[in-house]
Amino acid sequence: MSETLANLSSESRQFPPPEALAAAANVKADAYEEAAGDRLAFWATQADRLTWAKKWDQVLDWSNPPFAKWFVGGELNIAYNCVDRHVEAGRGDRVAIHWEGEPGDTRTITYAELLKLVSQAANTLTDLGVGAGDRVAIYMPMIPEAAVAMLACARVGATHSVVFGGFSVSALSTRIQDADAKLVITADGGYRRGKPSALKPTVDEAVAECPSIENVLVVRRTGQDVAWTDKDKWWHETVEQASPEHKAQAFDAEHPLFILYTSGTTGKPKGILHTTGGYLTQVSYTHNAVFDLKPDTDVYWCTADIGWVTGHSYIVYGPLSNGATQVMYEGTPDTPGRDRFWQIVDKYKVSILYTAPTLIRTMMKWGDDIPAGFDLSSLRVLGSVGEPINPEAWMWYRENIGRNRTPIVDTWWQTETGGVMISPLPGVTATKPGSAMTPLPGITADVVDDQAQSVPNGGGGFLVLRDPWPSMLRTIWGDDKRFLDTYWSRFGAGAGTGDEWIYFAGDGAKKDDDGALWLLGRVDDVMLVSGHNISTTEVESALVSHPSVAEAAVVGATDPTTGQAIVAFVIPRGNVDTEGDVGDQLTVDLRNHVAKTLGPIAKPRQIMLVPELPKTRSGKIMRRLLKDVAERRSLGDVTTLQDSAVMDLISAGMKTGKSED
Ligand code: 6R9
């Protein structure tokens, strides 16, 4: 078998940028040439968008790969760049955050008010003995204090570690212990699905197992009863009483900014470490370039949770460094009704919306008539992140939300990359539904075979990054060896082949006939069927292109004849009847539909109609658990599942269409 990853689907639709947007775009086509001409000079120009207390001596030190240093010798304060400098420039009255609580309560926070809050929180951190070199765990709902807490840590040089408010006691305590945190910042709870959801009890249990924790700072959000210990301090009795004057001190460009844990498929979570100057340079630049942000007129909304890297880079650091006005929403998309998102878009006149494919497919499932009832004419750029977006979902997003007017930017990146790496530019790129298109200016991405050879157009393989980039992870916290093994030992110098250090992203990808990049899912999930490597994404997209299908997940299950066979889990669209023979016929139709779209090799052996799919908190499908079901094993680790009841639902509601051939 010669192919590394099969290329089965093709797409001929293409959408050029709207003329007016292209003419006024922040970044135009010449940026690619500029960056290709001198990559480091290009990134130095982008770093100049920030305010430095001391200019760097060297853009990149790559003398000890894969341990990079960017903007060596430079000094800056992240919070100053995200808050103070906008106020100093006379923009203190601009709204930084339009916050919408799930129950409908709201807060409007200007940059001047944000400066006051961040300064007060920074003073409180200092009072609690937290400063440069310390770690702080943040376990919060989606309230403004979450962003304030992160910025206050950055301001005093403490490294934050945000843990999803929804993770279990053990997930929280292992992360606190791994980072050896001194302080936890949390809340009594937050609102989710129409009711208060407690956080403090989880923190209490975790802290009992974590002797490193000296204090717990608690925001009162829901007012629910909480147990109280000597370590606990109310936010309103400390931060809100503290002095609003705080002078930000500059830190080295390589000062650790945050640790964010990613679980991966096996083993203990990896604490991805990001530092200061390079990180802020790239998230600030990409937020400006990819979303074409006009800070005076745009209203930006990223629907991610703060516990995901997307919340770090594109709610807190990118948008605030650019002086954006943004919406922040506390709750779920279906509370009180399934139109909540579109209500928010119309209410705040959101012009840039950044969300995830899982949400887009959910909205598809709920039906076109829901967004159709809203104006949505304020929208001018739509973004997607987190998973490959199926062409069908992309078209639905374009037609039903963008009303065929707005460009869509499908942004590929990872916790490890810190900022967006592969994406269209909304004023430059003619986009194809389902493709992340090309690496951004200053980024070198490629698709290679197992010998690290670049595949030709039309070929598939492994996604790699060939040159260091400013917001790259610096290591795995406390585990340089794992950093080397996980990302740098598959290809190139780290694998003992050649001098080039090549970053292995863990994703499959292909280049289409024009060289545009298509992400094909994690390589660990690739299915080996009769000697062909078939990506989960292509089969899922073929299923989603059938009018009866809202969502699909496929896995390769052990099969005596083909090695692995494709088993698909399918959520039908809301209006589709799946009872009895009708459901059986649907599974037959779907199997044939995939065979017709991608070829007989990709025909699923089995299709199960299910009401839900197991997902992580950031909406990624946990195929590992579905593989357990498909191979009739007991379930593996379910601790990072968004909703643990889903697996019961799947087993109970499963309707199986078996292979007849
Ligand atoms: C930002 C984020 C990273 C993994 C990544 C890939 C998948 C993210 C994607 C995408 C296809 C996109 N992914 N964006 N796949 N197209 N636009 O999601 O970070 O949570 O670390 O996940 O997500 O598989 O490797 P993280």
Side-chain angles (χ1 to χ4, degrees):
M1 188 210 59
S2 57
E3 96 205 323
T4 303
L5 191 54
N7 171 10
L8 301 175
S9 65
S10 66
E11 174 61 64
S12 55
R13 291 169 288 193
Q14 205 162 5
F15 299 94
E19 268 171 43
L21 194 151
N26 291 351
V27 178
K28 304 217 163 91
D30 58 354
Y32 293 104
E33 288 140 51
E34 186 196 334
D38 188 340
R39 193 172 56 89
L40 297 184
F42 170 82
W43 283 117
T45 304
Q46 308 321 322
D48 271 330
R49 304 175 71 253
L50 307 177
T51 306
W52 295 76
K54 180 168 171 280
K55 178 126 179 156
W56 59 89
D57 310 310
Q58 190 187 358
V59 177
L60 169 67
D61 176 356
W62 191 233
S63 59
N64 180 29
F67 299 94
K69 291 188 179 136
W70 281 85
F71 307 110
V72 184
E75 291 180 9
L76 74 169
N77 186 285
I78 292 245
Y80 175 87
N81 273 279
C82 291
V83 189
D84 306 44
R85 65 174 179 149
H86 307 310
V87 179
E88 286 174 13
R91 294 190 288 268
D93 291 339
R94 179 184 293 167
V95 174
I97 300 173
H98 287 293
W99 179 76
E100 174 98 0
E102 195 188 75
D105 51 336
T106 61
R107 284 165 70 185
T108 308
I109 299 174
T110 63
Y111 274 93
E113 287 161 343
L114 188 61
L115 175 58
K116 178 177 175 219
L117 287 166
V118 173
S119 299
Q120 289 180 308
N123 282 320
T124 304
L125 292 182
T126 309
D127 291 345
L128 295 175
V130 174
D134 292 327
R135 262 86 50 213
V136 174
I138 297 178
Y139 186 74
M140 303 269 268
M142 284 292 289
I143 56 177
E145 285 81 359
V148 171
M150 291 163 74
L151 290 165
C153 288
R155 194 173 184 92
V156 303
T159 303
H160 59 68
S161 159
V162 181
V163 180
F164 250 129
F167 275 180
S168 62
V169 172
S170 72
L172 177 58
S173 69
T174 43
R175 284 161 178 75
I176 291 174
Q177 287 165 10
D178 187 73
D180 200 21
K182 270 174 110 163
L183 173 72
V184 184
I185 308 181
T186 187
D188 49 0
Y191 287 93
R192 278 193 84 73
R193 303 209 158 78
K195 46 182 195 298
S197 158
L199 291 175
K200 179 75 167 43
T202 308
V203 174
D204 291 343
E205 270 191 68
V207 168
E209 300 166 4
C210 298
S212 65
I213 295 296
E214 295 168 6
N215 291 288
V216 179
L217 197 49
V218 189
V219 177
R220 191 161 64 195
R221 160 66 183 137
T222 58
Q224 57 205 131
D225 283 341
V226 289
W228 209 248
T229 75
D230 304 347
K231 293 185 177 179
D232 298 335
K233 313 270 176 310
W234 281 115
W235 178 279
H236 58 269
E237 289 174 357
T238 51
V239 176
E240 288 172 18
Q241 312 303 321
S243 160
E245 303 297 326
H246 183 274
K247 188 154 169 31
Q249 176 203 334
F251 294 100
D252 189 89
E254 285 298 331
H255 189 77
L257 174 65
F258 69 83
I259 302 167
L260 184 60
Y261 289 85
T262 66
S263 43
T265 44
T266 51
K268 76 174 198 28
K270 303 187 282 281
I272 304 302
L273 178 70
H274 284 286
T275 60
T276 298
Y279 173 79
L280 196 65
T281 296
Q282 189 168 335
V283 300
S284 187
Y285 170 71
T286 52
H287 181 257
N288 174 71
V290 169
F291 299 108
D292 191 44
L293 178 88
K294 311 285 195 238
D296 295 331
T297 46
D298 275 319
V299 178
Y300 166 85
W301 182 24
C302 168
T303 67
D305 190 281
I306 215 102
W308 182 21
V309 70
T310 307
H312 287 57
S313 301
Y314 298 105
I315 293 178
V316 179
Y317 296 113
L320 295 177
S321 67
N322 289 329
T325 294
Q326 69 179 312
V327 171
M328 180 177 182
Y329 172 56
E330 178 183 33
T332 53
D334 50 355
T335 308
R338 291 177 165 181
D339 58 357
R340 187 67 186 267
F341 269 28
W342 317 123
Q343 268 181 18
I344 293 175
V345 168
D346 274 1
K347 175 174 173 185
Y348 295 102
K349 304 271 180 287
V350 171
S351 55
I352 304 171
L353 178 69
Y354 193 26
T355 192
T358 177
L359 265 156
I360 298 164
R361 290 189 300 259
T362 301
M363 303 289 180
M364 274 171 79
K365 179 170 67 182
W366 289 344
D368 305 359
D369 50 321
I370 298 177
F374 292 84
D375 178 48
L376 307 187
S377 63
S378 55
L379 291 169
R380 66 179 201 92
V381 178
L382 301 177
S384 173
V385 58
E387 284 181 289
I389 175 167
N390 324 102
E392 198 68 21
W394 196 103
M395 287 304 297
W396 186 91
Y397 197 26
R398 177 179 162 87
E399 286 165 7
N400 292 275
I401 309 305
R403 309 268 155 94
N404 290 312
R405 286 180 295 105
T406 71
I408 295 179
V409 287
D410 173 14
T411 62
W412 178 89
W413 58 294
Q414 309 176 297
T415 306
E416 292 87 342
T417 70
V420 176
M421 304 292 283
I422 305 174
S423 168
L425 287 175
V428 178
T429 316
T431 51
K432 301 182 183 188
S435 171
M437 300 304 295
T438 50
L440 288 176
I443 300 299
T444 329
D446 198 1
V447 181
V448 300
D449 62 18
D450 47 15
Q451 302 299 311
Q453 296 302 310
S454 196
V455 305
N457 287 355
F462 304 96
L463 182 72
V464 297
L465 302 168
R466 289 190 182 276
D467 288 307
W469 62 100
S471 65
M472 67 196 286
L473 78 165
R474 297 306 195 257
T475 189
I476 293 174
W477 180 257
D479 202 343
D480 287 349
K481 182 173 180 303
R482 196 170 176 204
F483 170 62
L484 276 158
D485 290 347
T486 310
Y487 307 107
W488 302 99
S489 302
R490 180 88 175 229
F491 301 114
T497 339
D499 305 327
E500 193 195 0
W501 283 84
I502 301 175
Y503 173 90
F504 170 57
D507 281 344
K510 71 177 188 188
K511 295 178 187 168
D512 71 13
D513 293 340
D514 304 322
L517 297 176
W518 294 73
L519 277 303
L520 298 179
R522 302 295 294 168
V523 294
D524 294 346
D525 293 333
V526 165
M527 304 170 291
L528 185 58
V529 183
S530 305
H532 295 272
N533 282 307
I534 298 182
S535 97
T536 50
T537 303
E538 291 204 307
V539 181
E540 287 163 6
S541 290
L543 286 162
V544 173
S545 74
H546 188 280
S548 298
V549 176
E551 281 216 71
V554 303
V555 296
T558 310
D559 185 273
T561 32
T562 55
Q564 283 190 326
I566 301 175
V567 176
F569 295 78
V570 168
I571 306 182
R573 290 215 195 186
N575 54 352
V576 174
D577 184 7
T578 57
E579 289 306 309
D581 291 350
V582 186
D584 294 342
Q585 186 55 44
L586 177 59
T587 62
V588 172
D589 291 350
L590 291 177
R591 295 180 61 242
N592 292 333
H593 175 74
V594 175
K596 198 164 135 244
T597 314
L598 300 179
I601 187 71
K603 185 173 186 173
R605 178 186 74 187
Q606 193 177 351
I607 290 192
M608 306 194 190
L609 301 180
V610 292
E612 273 305 334
L613 289 170
K615 289 179 190 157
T616 65
R617 273 304 195 101
S618 65
K620 294 188 192 352
I621 296 167
M622 293 179 76
R623 291 182 187 73
R624 180 172 52 78
L625 296 179
L626 294 173
K627 205 169 149 90
D628 290 343
V629 173
E631 294 182 341
R632 302 178 195 290
R633 258 194 314 276
S634 58
L635 292 183
D637 182 15
V638 292
T639 49
T640 52
L641 205 57
Q642 181 176 27
D643 175 358
S644 52
V646 161
M647 290 315 293
D648 301 336
L649 265 176
I650 290 175
S651 311
M654 216 151 63
K655 189 167 186 46
T656 304
K658 271 277 170 56
S659 167
E660 75 276 8
D661 49 36

